[in-house]
Amino acid sequence: MALTETQVEDKIEVVGDFKHVQIRTATVIARDGVEISRSFHRHSLACSTKSGDPAVWSDTDISGESTEVQAICNAVWTDAVKTAYQTAMDAQEI
């Protein structure tokens, strides 16, 4: 009776005007090759982050993401999307 645990990114979505990337990771537990449990973890990524003092915009670090997620982010996060997102977020701070 062998138990195995695997993780797979089973859903990657691009949503909204600012192309947020949402990732769902499934953790699958199997006994002798038959799935007995599945649970999910979700996280999302925005194209830019603000940090430091004074606060400065920088590209989101996606180096820890899978190559598939990195490729999607690099495809949809154009300079125009980043600028629009940063402008919208800065306007909310006023």
Side-chain angles (χ1 to χ4, degrees), residues 15-75:
V15 296
D17 294 335
F18 305 122
K19 311 300 184 206
H20 286 78
V21 177
Q22 298 180 154
I23 301 102
R24 181 176 83 175
T25 303
T27 301
V28 179
I29 308 294
R31 179 183 296 131
D32 297 326
V34 177
E35 182 178 322
I36 60 172
S37 175
R38 180 178 289 248
S39 61
F40 301 102
H41 170 79
R42 296 173 188 266
H43 70 283
S44 63
L45 302 168
C47 60
S48 301
T49 57
K50 206 171 193 182
S51 62
D53 187 27
V56 176
W57 284 104
S58 61
D59 290 347
T60 297
D61 180 10
I62 55 173
S63 62
E65 302 295 332
S66 69
T67 54
E68 185 176 12
V69 170
Q70 289 180 29
I72 291 168
C73 291
N74 288 328

